[in-house]
Amino acid sequence: MKVDLIDLGIGNTRSVTNWLTKVNCDVNVINRVEDINSELLVMPGVGAAGKFMHKLRKTGFDNSVRNHVSAGGRLLGICLGFQVMFEYSEEDGGVQTLGILGGKVERLRGVGTHNGWEQTSFDFRQVDISEHWRKAKLTRAKVLCGRFFYNHEYAAVNGDRDQRSFPISNSLKNYSGVVISRNVIGVQYHPEKSQQSGIEFLRHIL
Amino acid sequence: MRIGASIIMKNRVAVQSYGWNLLRPLGDLQFILDSLDEYECDEITVLRYARSEDDAQAYNADIDVLESCNTLSPLSFGGGIRSLKDLEKIRRLPVERLVFSSAVFEGNYSLIEEAATLFGHQAIQCLIPISYNNDKVRVFIPSQNRFIGVEEIDFESLHNLCNELIVYDTDADGFDNLFSFNALQDIKFPLPRTILMGGIGLDVIKRAKSEGVAAVSIDNRVLHKEYSILEAKKYAGL
């Protein structure tokens, strides 16, 4: 399976590349919009939302990513790449983000930072994603149980009832750990650094 | 509480460190990362042995080794990150978090702020190597190869600069259950954002959990089965 992986020159894409190749994805790391050539786009992200959005706009990826999704292409966002899918982020004094998903990103209230692992269970019988995902049929299992690694200070608050949002944990239940909206999946955690659970996640969605 | 592992790296290979000065070769870094993946280690911290004799050539050689590594566990890297050029090289590595030590003590805050812009504030960890004797905490400055009093450390700046602080007990380094909890009284940093390193054993892990620290980082003894991460988690009720 071919995958285009967006590299904006912020943070690194090495871990995500390693992770995708574990399930034999043919990963094309791209830093120009004209190199988008796959039906599945992966947008990882670390850093600060302001600089990340600046880079997206400067390179033209902001419109290209929106157009890719509008045309039915799949998009997987990870961590900051997930947060910028929403409409607005409080980070860096307030930043307008892509608006692909309804909702906003705010500083984690109370805890300030969230570094660690959360045990998570997804029942894909309750959330049917087969119209857009699970095309490669890498697993017959319908339930994903595992632990996933989080490292963030800002988090997303879902603002659209048509989007399926799964909370980070019981103690952070107001914040989205995963959001699914048709051909778009976003995860706050780092599946590429979630050991075997990260691999299982890929097998369930690809 | 997270249970991680720390690996010291010198001259392209992993080494085991005792008491902050005796080093014993441990072997290939990838082999160790593979083992820790298997043990479900919560995070791995790779620290270069970067004392005053460190130079760009040694830094680049270690970076090359790390670049070729592949792990599915969260990875922190530190030791000798002293310039924007060094930061740029880290972009090639499969690491999420950066560990700063000398840059903190030398007041090179702009470097740490640039790292926060590139990798996110959540990615910034600062490390203070300490020695606790006669009820006094001293802090080791790697680039100058000397200790200073803990009162010289600007904890307020640290609080803003980094997401988490690693407190490395150098006297307890490589030994079992010798981490000096008393030293934490002089380290003005919130325990829920503090990571303990050096002298971590099962009893220390249990106490760290009850004190509410963010994480402990066991030295490379976790490679021996009897000290495995899973057993430590079980013992501490995690």
Side-chain angles (χ1 to χ4, degrees):
Chain A
M1 177 182 291
K2 283 176 68 178
V3 177
D4 283 338
L5 176 63
I6 298 174
D7 180 10
L8 294 177
I10 305 172
N12 68 56
T13 54
R14 183 64 190 272
S15 298
V16 179
T17 305
N18 288 344
W19 169 62
L20 288 165
T21 53
K22 294 277 184 191
V23 291
N24 298 321
C25 286
D26 180 5
V27 183
N28 186 27
V29 180
I30 58 171
N31 53 26
R32 301 183 311 166
V33 293
E34 51 268 39
D35 291 335
I36 296 179
N37 192 31
S38 304
E39 179 271 331
L40 174 57
L41 203 53
V42 176
M43 183 164 63
V46 295
K51 183 158 186 176
F52 194 86
M53 278 309 299
H54 174 74
K55 279 274 192 177
L56 276 176
R57 290 191 189 102
K58 193 177 169 189
T59 51
F61 270 111
D62 56 340
N63 288 328
S64 296
V65 169
R66 284 193 202 99
N67 293 341
H68 174 85
V69 171
S70 301
R74 292 183 295 170
L75 174 65
L76 171 63
I78 299 170
C79 197
L80 182 58
F82 162 58
Q83 292 181 2
V84 298
M85 288 175 170
F86 289 86
E87 295 158 295
Y88 173 80
S89 172
E90 278 183 5
E91 197 172 5
D92 293 327
V95 184
Q96 294 299 321
T97 44
L98 293 173
I100 293 168
L101 297 174
K104 65 172 182 175
V105 172
E106 63 182 35
R107 175 97 200 190
L108 280 168
R109 306 282 191 255
V111 289
T113 184
H114 177 222
N115 306 324
W117 296 76
E118 298 290 350
Q119 196 72 33
T120 307
S121 176
F122 297 103
D123 188 340
F124 287 100
R125 290 168 301 190
Q126 293 177 0
V127 190
D128 185 10
I129 61 170
S130 57
E131 187 184 344
H132 298 283
W133 303 87
R134 291 176 75 97
K135 301 292 183 194
K137 300 192 187 317
L138 298 177
T139 180
R140 295 173 71 179
K142 293 287 179 65
V143 179
L144 169 62
C145 289
R147 60 180 209 135
F148 293 91
F149 175 69
Y150 289 83
N151 178 212
H152 59 121
E153 294 177 347
Y154 290 80
V157 180
N158 185 36
D160 184 343
R161 286 183 182 174
D162 291 337
Q163 295 167 182
R164 286 301 303 263
S165 170
F166 300 86
I168 291 174
S169 64
N170 283 337
S171 59
L172 294 170
K173 60 185 175 190
N174 294 332
Y175 299 113
S176 298
V178 180
V179 171
I180 301 173
S181 176
R182 294 178 291 276
N183 50 338
V184 176
I185 293 181
V187 291
Q188 178 59 66
Y189 54 75
H190 287 271
E192 79 280 12
K193 286 300 177 110
S194 295
Q195 298 168 345
Q196 193 56 37
S197 299
I199 304 288
E200 290 303 316
F201 171 74
L202 268 186
R203 288 194 178 124
H204 274 81
I205 66 165
L206 292 182
Chain B
M1 186 180 78
R2 309 177 322 257
I3 296 190
S6 57
I7 301 167
I8 307 289
M9 193 178 176
K10 187 180 185 189
N11 297 337
R12 301 167 62 94
V13 296
V15 296
Q16 178 150 13
S17 168
Y18 292 93
W20 198 242
N21 55 34
L22 179 66
L23 302 177
R24 190 176 73 175
L26 206 60
D28 177 53
L29 183 61
Q30 183 62 60
F31 171 77
I32 294 165
L33 295 177
D34 288 344
S35 300
L36 292 170
D37 264 352
E38 192 182 321
Y39 292 164
E40 295 187 9
C41 181
D42 288 344
E43 60 199 21
I44 302 167
T45 305
V46 176
L47 297 173
R48 291 184 59 252
Y49 187 88
R51 306 277 166 89
S52 55
E53 70 271 24
D54 192 35
D55 59 26
Q57 196 179 354
Y59 182 86
N60 292 338
D62 288 343
I63 289 282
D64 288 344
V65 171
L66 205 54
E67 186 181 1
S68 66
C69 287
N70 191 346
T71 177
L72 291 169
S73 296
L75 202 59
S76 301
F77 170 73
I81 309 171
R82 297 194 175 110
S83 68
L84 293 175
K85 215 171 164 184
D86 294 338
L87 269 185
E88 185 55 35
K89 286 170 190 158
I90 293 170
R91 283 202 58 243
R92 308 188 326 236
L93 309 182
V95 304
E96 291 73 47
R97 283 180 284 181
L98 311 181
V99 183
F100 292 93
S101 197
S102 292
V104 175
F105 305 129
E106 291 162 2
N108 192 359
Y109 297 161
S110 60
L111 177 68
I112 300 173
E113 284 161 3
E114 180 60 20
T117 305
L118 287 173
F119 289 83
H121 185 263
Q122 86 291 336
I124 307 301
Q125 296 177 318
C126 291
L127 181 145
I128 55 169
I130 63 154
S131 174
Y132 182 73
N133 282 305
N134 301 323
D135 295 334
K136 283 192 174 166
V137 179
R138 293 180 306 144
V139 179
F140 184 75
I141 313 294
S143 60
Q144 299 167 18
N145 219 4
R146 69 182 180 100
F147 281 93
I148 61 170
V150 71
E151 62 282 355
E152 291 185 50
I153 303 298
D154 180 2
F155 283 105
E156 199 175 323
S157 293
L158 271 183
H159 187 85
N160 296 323
L161 279 172
C162 67
N163 177 268
E164 290 185 319
L165 179 71
I166 301 172
V167 178
Y168 192 161
D169 188 334
T170 60
D171 301 320
D173 180 36
F175 300 102
D176 206 18
N177 286 319
L178 289 184
F179 184 88
S180 302
F181 276 94
N182 288 343
L184 295 177
Q185 291 169 1
D186 291 332
I187 292 168
K188 310 297 178 198
F189 201 85
L191 286 178
R193 286 169 53 202
T194 300
I195 299 170
L196 311 185
M197 189 183 282
I200 308 298
L202 295 180
D203 294 336
V204 168
I205 291 170
K206 213 169 187 175
R207 181 164 172 193
K209 188 193 168 199
S210 69
E211 302 253 353
V213 304
V216 293
S217 193
I218 309 172
D219 62 27
N220 4 37
R221 287 173 303 115
V222 291
L223 292 172
H224 303 286
K225 191 175 182 300
E226 64 268 33
Y227 292 110
S228 78
I229 297 282
L230 289 174
E231 281 176 313
K233 285 182 181 175
K234 198 173 170 186
Y235 184 79
L238 291 164

